[in-house]
Amino acid sequence: TQLLEQSPQFLSIQEGENLTVYCNSSSVFSSLQWYRQEPGEGPVLLVTVVTGGEVKKLKRLTFQFGDARKDSSLHITAAQPGDTGLYLCAGAGGFLGSGGYQKVTFGTGTKLQVIP
Amino acid sequence: NAGVTQTPKFQVLKTGQSMTLQCAQDMNHEYMSWYRQDPGMGLRLIHYSVGAGITDQGEVPNGYNVSRSTTEDFPLRLLSAAPSQTSVYFCASREQLPTDTQYFGPGTRLTVL
């Protein structure tokens, strides 16, 4: 069974601070995605990383895929209240059934609150 | 272009009742899926479909049925609701490779008394 552990589970910080969220597994993934979910809504994809060691930047958010493709991190610089939400990592690896549907395992989530 | 729509937004059921959660997408994606989200457990796959007429079980399928008669619609049926099915349910439509992006609906919050 593939598991994705996220840490920390909860994070409450002041506006302007930096933070890092971690996503760890003992399994290797072919790709890893980060989603953000706001209350009462579904998750929205932020980024997909595919290559071991890959780093992607999305404005103040920096995503890194571990060299061994088992872990990932999300770093936010100068957090803003608009960054508040639940951050989910999701690893893709292996296939379900015979229809080519790639299995996606979701992490347990990190709930971020940025206080103005 | 509405993306993925789900109805209802909220539902309260009594133990033993049945109901259908509706899901529709307008992106012409072949792949669709249903997840449930519970605190501390992430999103867990209930059922998925790789095209009209083709469905299969995910990680937690017991107590749920699905069908896929068209590309657009993928309803989830609760056969006999139990308190353990209290959860938030998300339908997702999935763009295949290379992006492999999942587009989620707004969710249905279900409470079973």
Side-chain angles (χ1 to χ4, degrees):
Chain A
T1 304
Q2 295 174 317
L3 292 173
L4 270 172
E5 298 286 339
Q6 283 186 241
S7 61
Q9 276 188 289
F10 301 98
L11 198 51
S12 182
I13 61 172
Q14 294 293 132
E15 182 177 357
E17 291 184 356
N18 302 333
L19 67 115
T20 302
V21 176
Y22 299 94
C23 176
N24 294 296
S25 176
S26 57
S27 303
V28 175
F29 295 102
S30 58
S31 66
L32 198 133
Q33 298 177 322
W34 284 91
Y35 290 81
R36 183 167 76 202
Q37 183 179 13
E38 300 192 15
E41 298 181 11
V44 175
L45 181 68
L46 295 173
V47 76
T48 301
V49 285
V50 178
T51 307
E54 182 177 1
V55 176
K56 278 192 174 178
K57 292 193 175 183
L58 187 66
K59 295 183 181 178
R60 294 175 294 100
L61 279 61
T62 302
F63 305 86
Q64 185 163 8
F65 201 10
D67 291 340
R69 291 186 290 132
K70 293 183 180 181
D71 54 82
S72 181
S73 63
L74 157 61
H75 182 79
I76 301 179
T77 303
Q80 298 178 1
D83 296 327
T84 293
L86 178 68
Y87 289 81
L88 297 164
C89 62
F95 293 91
L96 297 174
S98 57
Y101 189 93
Q102 192 167 37
K103 182 177 179 181
V104 175
T105 302
F106 280 85
T108 48
T110 294
K111 200 165 187 178
L112 171 65
Q113 180 187 34
V114 181
I115 302 166
Chain B
N1 188 338
V4 179
T5 58
Q6 286 183 242
T7 56
K9 184 73 172 170
F10 300 95
Q11 183 70 50
V12 178
L13 292 177
K14 293 182 180 178
T15 297
Q17 287 184 317
S18 62
M19 79 160 293
T20 299
L21 279 63
Q22 302 292 343
C23 174
Q25 54 101 359
D26 62 1
M27 296 173 282
N28 203 34
H29 292 158
E30 292 295 326
Y31 290 1
M32 294 185 73
S33 53
W34 276 101
Y35 290 89
R36 59 178 289 172
Q37 186 174 38
D38 302 291
M41 301 191 75
L43 285 156
R44 292 183 292 168
L45 183 66
I46 304 171
H47 285 284
Y48 67 96
S49 169
V50 298
I54 308 169
T55 65
D56 208 342
Q57 297 181 351
E59 186 184 357
V60 287
N62 292 341
Y64 309 95
N65 272 357
V66 291
S67 59
R68 184 101 179 267
S69 56
T70 66
T71 300
E72 293 78 21
D73 300 298
F74 190 42
L76 177 73
R77 280 183 290 277
L78 278 70
L79 308 172
S80 177
S84 61
Q85 293 179 304
T86 293
S87 187
V88 182
Y89 291 86
F90 290 98
C91 177
S93 171
R94 187 168 175 178
E95 194 171 64
Q96 292 175 245
L97 295 173
T99 68
D100 199 25
T101 301
Q102 291 203 74
Y103 298 88
F104 287 85
T108 294
R109 183 174 291 274
L110 175 68
T111 302
V112 182
L113 303 175

